Amino acid sequence: MIKFTPTAQSKISSLDFDNIPFGQIFTDHLFQVDYINGEWVNPEISELKPIPVHPGNLAWHYGQSIFEGMKAFKNKDGEPVLFRPEEHIYRLNASAARMSMPEFPKDLFLEAVHSMVDIERAWIPPSKGSALYLRPVMVAMEEALGVRASKEYKMMIMTLPVGPYYPKPVSLVTEKKYVRAAMGGVGEAKTAGNYAASLLPAQKAKDAGFDQIMWLDAKEFKYVQEIGTMNIFFVVNDTVITPITNGTILKGITRKSAITILKDHGYKVEERLIDIQEIVDAYQAGTLKEAFGAGTAALTSNVHLIQHGDISMDLSQTENTVSNLVKNTLNDLRFGEIEDKYNWIVPVKSAVPV
Ligand code: COI
């Protein structure tokens, strides 16, 4: 049972629903629960505020930190709904296993997620490109400096009203020096270090005028992996291709949903190794119809340029038919405007007395 202590004063009056930057505005409450002596204890929802952390916290030194990104929406009747919440606890626990962290109980996760959205429902932005973003994060909490897995952890869930992550189409550049993930590494885990490793090359890409890096494999710098904030899709002729999740890329839930939607609409979708030269050849032959990213934060994001070495692939004139089909279908499902034959949309249940 989650203990709920409401904040004395909500901050919601300061929210401008027409101007919500991504990741800057936090709602009033935080879910937290501690892992001590092999058990998750004292789950509670209370005011979101800084938490005391010892300087010797193992997460700070050796990086045991994993997270999820998920979204809640208001449907056309104004009722809060979640998108595929169970998928997120499966992936969180896969990340936990890779990072030598304890499994988190599925039922407690779902109860916490439903409760947070229920409590913060007034913060859910009503417009289509917006959502209530949920950020579950599990971190080591033991203080010790030996290199080993922590014996104590904290799991938290914060919620944030968000607008689109990428309000405009993005430009991508491939990277020849740095890598995001190697086979056998932690590229498939949603762990902080993957993002930390991308920051320097991402800044260099920004300085060179690009929005994001399109990562290539760590061995041959040849096979496309992902964008870091999104999975990547290409449309070549009428076939949609996306890198196979072979251990170095994130198993995106939006990626998986997009594949289902596209197959359902009669597209041939191939999950396989994609040699970047194949994309260059398709571009030069005029058969590269579009490229887009897919992720929870970004939903789908159209790509207007891919730079690979000296080759600039200008996709600014494409119609983005496939990307728009995915985006519109996901939005329509979330808003209850089309039938949810996939059972992806889960109405929020009142879980704690508010
Ligand atoms: C998400 O899409 O939810 C992510 O976690 C990607 C990024 C914002 C870190």
Side-chain angles (χ1 to χ4, degrees), residues 227-299:
I227 305 176
T229 49
M230 305 183 278
N231 294 108
I232 180 87
F233 287 77
F234 304 96
V235 185
V236 178
N237 288 317
D238 289 332
T239 302
V240 183
I241 56 175
T242 190
I244 188 154
T245 52
N246 60 357
T248 60
I249 73 173
L250 192 80
K251 287 188 171 163
I253 293 159
T254 311
R255 173 189 179 279
K256 183 170 161 179
S257 309
I259 292 170
T260 303
I261 290 168
L262 291 172
K263 285 186 175 167
D264 245 18
H265 281 81
Y267 281 93
K268 187 170 169 216
V269 184
E270 294 175 357
E271 295 176 71
R272 59 174 171 79
L273 286 179
I274 301 173
D275 187 330
I276 182 65
Q277 191 56 43
E278 177 185 341
I279 301 303
V280 172
D281 292 345
Y283 177 74
Q284 289 173 340
T287 54
L288 179 62
K289 302 293 183 214
E290 66 181 270
F292 62 94
T296 297
L299 192 52

